[in-house]
Amino acid sequence: MSSIDWIVLIATLLVIVVYGVFIGRGQKSNASYLKADNKMPWYIVLLGIMATQASAITFLSAPGQAYTDGMRFVQYYFGLPLAMIVICITFIPIFQKLNVYTAYEYLENRFDKKTRVLTSLLFLFSRGLSTGISIYAPSIILSSVLNWNIYLTNVLTGGILLIYTYVGGAKAIAHTQKLQFLIILGTMGFAAFLLIQNMPNGVGFKDALYLAGKSGKLNVITTDFDWKDKYNIWSGLIGGFFLALSYFGTDQSQVGRYITAKDNTNAKMGLLLNGLVKIPMQFAILLIGALLFAFFSLKPAPIYFNERSYQSLKDTRPQEAAVFEKEHQLLEKQFNLQAKTILKEKAANAPTLTASIDKFKATQQQVKVLHGKVEDAINQSNLNAEKTDTNYIFLYFVKNTLPVGMVGLLFAVIFLASWGSISAALNSLAACSLKDVHLIFSKDQPDDRQELRFSRLHTLAWGIFSIAVAMFATQMGSLIEAVNVLGSLFYGPILGIFLVAFYFKKIDGPLVFISAILSEIMVIAVYEFDVVSFLWLNVVGAAAVIIFSTLGLLFYRPKVLNS
């Protein structure tokens, strides 16, 4: 990066850290530190919810996901709007009425203490791991740009955001998320504009879309039903609905955003607008990836987007790498020429267009096969290499194409997106481990000042834990997929517990506690044996808790029914 890019990057990050520390100063109680004194208006709630979900993984990995697999990933969000409606009707009024710090406080009131602790522990484990992955995503950038060790950059990335998260709590997080997300949206929009501008002369937006479509990258809707297909309209509507219902309704990292709202109305407005805005936003981000494929159809693409990993292959197996490069040069030249020919014949309405498209697709498949060979060779020669280069595709474009200053700003954006989600996650982890575990098993109840000190210590501890997890994230492939798989392993049973709590009044704590444990074991078994794709795990987990609990009524008569 140029010195100007470094200035833009460092200045942007410093502004956020200083602003966060300033806005979050003067914390005197947990009500302020964990819930921002319940003073947040709907637009802060909306931006906080979106910033918490849209981490650096969204902006770094999603374009790469579309580049490699097309835009069908957007179907993952199709169940979101309906889930927002259900949460607004059922979840929010209960949380607001009880004035909870965590979503799991309600479960003690409805069931018993052990069910509350179990559910909180499931959340803590899954969210702690996924937060570590979220730290790893921007660490890739520092590692690539500075040529630093990835383990060092994990420490730097996770450590810097801890400054304002530790000091300012929920208030600092809410206001920094507002600023971060506005910067992110503006910068990503400008990056998309520059992507179109950097197409070869004469190639416009429609031409790029045409190439992306003929390459199979605009596969937004896939209607074929397949239990093992990760992304189709059915898994998106049904599995996505259950995942969104669990994530936004029972995951403290999201619940913690809307329980800071002034009242029910502001909390509901923030959630409902999120349901409306999220799908078009994700569509636009994935579209960048599809357009990137068109861009590299017309201009030479690298043999492997993770340049450092490929360099390790050249160092350890130079002869094999030389063979790969020779084949790659021939294929890229052929591929670029065929793409340009398609656009010329399309403009001229030539009768040979169909044949040219077929040749283009055949070469595309050859490029894909070669990429797979290179990837396998890298993973065989370097055990520490990442499984894929998906997370580096957009990064490669940014580094090698965008103008001075814009590169630094886009790198800053990926940091800001990461910080928005990680800071919220750390705050929610601290709230749950303190309120749902620490204080429950503590013999002495602390006063306000001690409890605030404990909250900060829990925040620090989870920050350290997440950084440690980031050290092992290199083997997870596409990060956006890894996070969603991880969530799906735990969200179903958590959601099932809440659904039983809301809608099955005859079922008590001991019964749902055992059902939740059995359901979690079942979900892990289904995943390990690859019975269905990961989105369906949310349905399996939630349904299993309900079914096991209902069947349990045949053999167990609750002694006391909580209302």
Side-chain angles (χ1 to χ4, degrees), residues 75-248:
Q75 296 169 111
Y76 165 84
Y77 297 98
F78 282 3
L80 179 64
L82 183 58
M84 298 300 96
I85 295 172
V86 174
I87 292 169
C88 287
I89 294 172
T90 305
F91 291 67
I92 289 180
I94 292 174
F95 293 154
Q96 288 280 348
K97 181 180 178 181
L98 295 177
N99 193 29
V100 297
Y101 278 87
T102 77
Y104 318 112
E105 286 184 54
Y106 163 70
L107 297 178
E108 182 177 356
N109 181 64
R110 169 63 177 86
F111 293 126
D112 51 36
K113 192 173 293 184
K114 65 177 181 294
T115 304
R116 172 185 178 181
V117 173
L118 172 66
T119 313
S120 186
L121 288 175
L122 289 175
F123 161 74
L124 290 170
F125 184 71
S126 61
R127 180 52 56 193
L129 292 178
S130 61
T131 303
I133 300 173
S134 297
I135 287 177
Y136 174 71
S139 296
I140 294 173
I141 301 167
L142 270 180
S143 178
S144 176
V145 174
L146 301 176
N147 200 29
W148 286 359
N149 183 286
I150 189 67
Y151 300 115
L152 174 61
T153 56
N154 281 333
V155 173
L156 286 176
T157 305
I160 295 173
L161 70 92
L162 262 174
I163 297 172
Y164 70 85
T165 306
Y166 176 87
V167 173
K171 184 179 179 182
I173 292 165
H175 286 282
T176 52
Q177 283 181 325
K178 170 191 67 179
L179 186 59
Q180 288 162 350
F181 207 65
L182 293 175
I183 294 172
I184 290 165
L185 291 181
T187 306
M188 289 298 290
F190 191 52
F193 170 77
L194 291 176
L195 171 58
I196 300 299
Q197 292 296 106
N198 278 281
M199 293 285 179
N201 290 336
V203 178
F205 179 65
K206 290 183 179 179
D207 293 324
L209 280 180
Y210 185 80
L211 275 178
K214 294 305 176 184
S215 305
K217 304 304 177 183
L218 301 183
N219 53 344
V220 177
I221 305 292
T222 51
T223 57
D224 295 338
F225 185 85
D226 183 351
W227 286 106
K228 293 190 176 183
D229 183 19
K230 297 175 185 176
Y231 309 114
N232 58 55
I233 194 168
W234 310 110
S235 63
L237 282 172
I238 302 171
F241 166 75
F242 277 88
L243 179 57
L245 194 61
S246 182
Y247 178 52
F248 289 96

Side-chain angles (χ1 to χ4, degrees), residues 110 122 145 149 184 186 220 233 249 308 323 350 380 386 438 491 514 519 524 529 542 553:
R110 169 63 177 86
L122 289 175
V145 174
N149 183 286
I184 290 165
V220 177
I233 194 168
R308 179 188 284 185
V323 173
Q380 290 168 11
E386 292 173 69
H438 182 162
Y491 283 157
I514 295 170
S519 300
I524 293 172
F529 289 103
L553 287 176

Side-chain angles (χ1 to χ4, degrees), residues 9 11-17 51-52 54-56 59 138 141 161 164 176-177 179-184 187 409-423:
L9 172 62
T12 305
L13 299 184
L14 276 177
V15 165
I16 294 297
V17 173
T52 299
S55 68
F59 301 102
I141 301 167
L161 70 92
Y164 70 85
T176 52
Q177 283 181 325
L179 186 59
Q180 288 162 350
F181 207 65
L182 293 175
I183 294 172
I184 290 165
T187 306
L409 184 58
L410 258 167
F411 285 164
V413 156
I414 297 173
F415 273 97
L416 298 184
S418 173
W419 287 2
S421 62
I422 296 167
S423 59

Side-chain angles (χ1 to χ4, degrees), residues 255-276:
V255 175
R257 306 289 64 79
Y258 57 77
I259 63 172
T260 64
K262 292 179 179 179
D263 49 38
N264 268 341
T265 302
N266 280 273
K268 290 177 180 178
M269 283 183 65
L271 262 182
L272 290 173
L273 287 172
N274 171 64
L276 294 174

